[in-house]
DNA sequence: CACCAGATCTCT
DNA sequence: GAGATCTGGTGT
């Protein structure tokens, strides 16, 4: 394959509110050290930004959240509940804490090694920010790396087929509120692809926004 | 040093 | 819907 198709930092250097819906239908790509490349379609995202009480960078910069304050197009990955990792795409301009959390992907038909850690149906192996990181072997050693093929972690734009289905109404992107927050629950900063198995079903119902 | 977390699984 | 899980980040 050629490397020319990956999403550039400049495309990501916009408000997370603009990037988050635009990433639906794009592809998360991961190349393991052993060589093989895996790809999953992004179907659920959330935006976090400066001034947002739910944003890790809301208070101040720390060693953990430093990538969020950095340049767009880098990874911000953190450990949550001591057991899971969450993968974010850094957005906007340097100095502003801003990122898009990738919450769900459609898993590839050929799965990476050790999928035994994952329970349930294969079509839901990417359903949840912690699960997709386990599936693609993403952990915080990758935090701060630029999203490009040589990092083993990158993004690819929507296929023409997906873009066409969006404009023709075959695909719909739903905007709703974010999940699992104690603050900022009312902000409609979550997007997902409608009728999609991998989206966090538990909270699909919170479309209580009209 | 103590508390708790942008989650998930396994029950009920 | 609730409890267990597990460890690093953050504030006292």
């Amino acid at each position: 394959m050629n490397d020319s198709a990956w999403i550039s930092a400049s495309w990501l250097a916009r408000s997370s509110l603009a990037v988050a819906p635009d990433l639906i239908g794009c592809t998360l790509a991961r190349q393991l050290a052993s060589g093989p490349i895996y790809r999953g379609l992004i179907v659920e995202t959330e935006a976090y930004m400066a001034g947002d009480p739910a944003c890790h960078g809301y208070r101040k910069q720390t060693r953990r959240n430093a990538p969020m304050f950095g340049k767009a197009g880098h990874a911000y990955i953190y450990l949550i509940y001591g057991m899971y990792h969450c993968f974010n795409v850094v957005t906007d301009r340097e100095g502003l804490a801003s990122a898009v959390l990738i919450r769900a992907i459609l898993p590839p038909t050929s799965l990476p090694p050790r999928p035994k850690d994952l329970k349930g149906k294969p079509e839901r192996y990417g359903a949840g920010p912690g699960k997709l990181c386990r599936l693609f072997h993403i952990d915080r050693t990758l935090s701060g790396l630029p999203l490009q093929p040589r990092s083993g972690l990158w993004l690819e734009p929507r296929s023409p087929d997906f873009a066409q289905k969006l404009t023709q109404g075959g695909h719909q992107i739903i905007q709703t509120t974010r999940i699992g927050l104690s603050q900022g629950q009312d902000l409609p900063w979550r997007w997902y692809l409608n009728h999609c198995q991998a989206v966090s079903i538990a909270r699909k119902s919170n479309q209580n926004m009209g």
Side-chain angles (χ1 to χ4, degrees):
Chain A
M1 65 157 276
N2 72 44
D3 287 349
S4 61
W6 46 278
I7 288 178
S8 68
S10 61
W11 191 85
L12 296 164
R14 299 176 284 146
S15 165
S16 58
L17 299 182
V19 173
D22 282 359
L23 279 176
I24 302 290
C26 295
T27 291
L28 175 64
R30 174 81 169 113
Q31 181 168 32
L32 302 183
S34 52
I37 296 174
Y38 300 95
R39 289 181 169 84
L41 195 76
I42 296 170
V43 293
E44 184 180 355
T45 59
E46 284 180 1
Y48 293 85
M49 62 186 295
D52 165 17
C55 177
H56 278 188
Y58 182 59
R59 290 178 178 277
K60 63 174 183 184
Q61 185 171 334
T62 65
R63 184 161 148 192
R64 176 180 66 150
N65 68 20
M68 279 191 111
F69 291 81
K71 289 179 184 165
H74 288 235
Y76 167 49
I77 299 156
Y78 60 89
L79 184 67
I80 183 71
Y81 300 117
M83 331 169 57
Y84 302 102
H85 295 272
C86 290
F87 167 60
N88 298 258
V89 177
V90 176
T91 56
D92 219 311
R93 65 165 214 264
E94 193 169 8
L96 282 182
S98 170
V100 173
L101 172 68
I102 307 300
R103 289 195 56 90
I105 59 171
L106 291 184
T109 46
S110 141
L111 292 170
R114 278 186 292 140
K116 288 171 189 166
D117 296 5
L118 295 160
K119 318 275 181 168
K121 303 174 180 176
E123 61 266 31
R124 291 194 52 80
Y125 282 174
K131 290 176 78 173
L132 72 89
C133 284
R134 264 191 304 180
L135 181 68
F136 272 10
H137 300 205
I138 294 170
D139 62 34
R140 73 202 137 87
T141 62
L142 301 170
S143 192
L145 292 183
L147 294 168
Q148 59 189 34
R150 46 167 312 168
S151 296
L153 187 63
W154 69 97
L155 301 163
E156 295 172 357
R158 287 172 182 161
S159 69
D161 180 63
F162 187 96
Q164 187 181 22
K165 285 204 170 77
L166 257 190
T167 55
Q168 296 181 349
H171 284 327
Q172 286 180 300
I173 295 175
I174 309 294
Q175 179 176 10
T176 179
T177 51
R178 297 176 295 183
I179 288 180
L181 309 185
S182 51
Q183 297 187 77
Q185 310 95 310
D186 299 332
L187 298 170
W189 290 357
R190 173 174 168 245
W191 289 265
Y192 66 85
L193 186 62
N194 209 5
H195 310 125
C196 181
Q197 279 262 316
V199 170
S200 309
I201 354 182
R203 321 288 169 36
K204 244 186 207 172
S205 54
N206 72 348
Q207 299 171 52
N208 49 355
M209 352 177 351

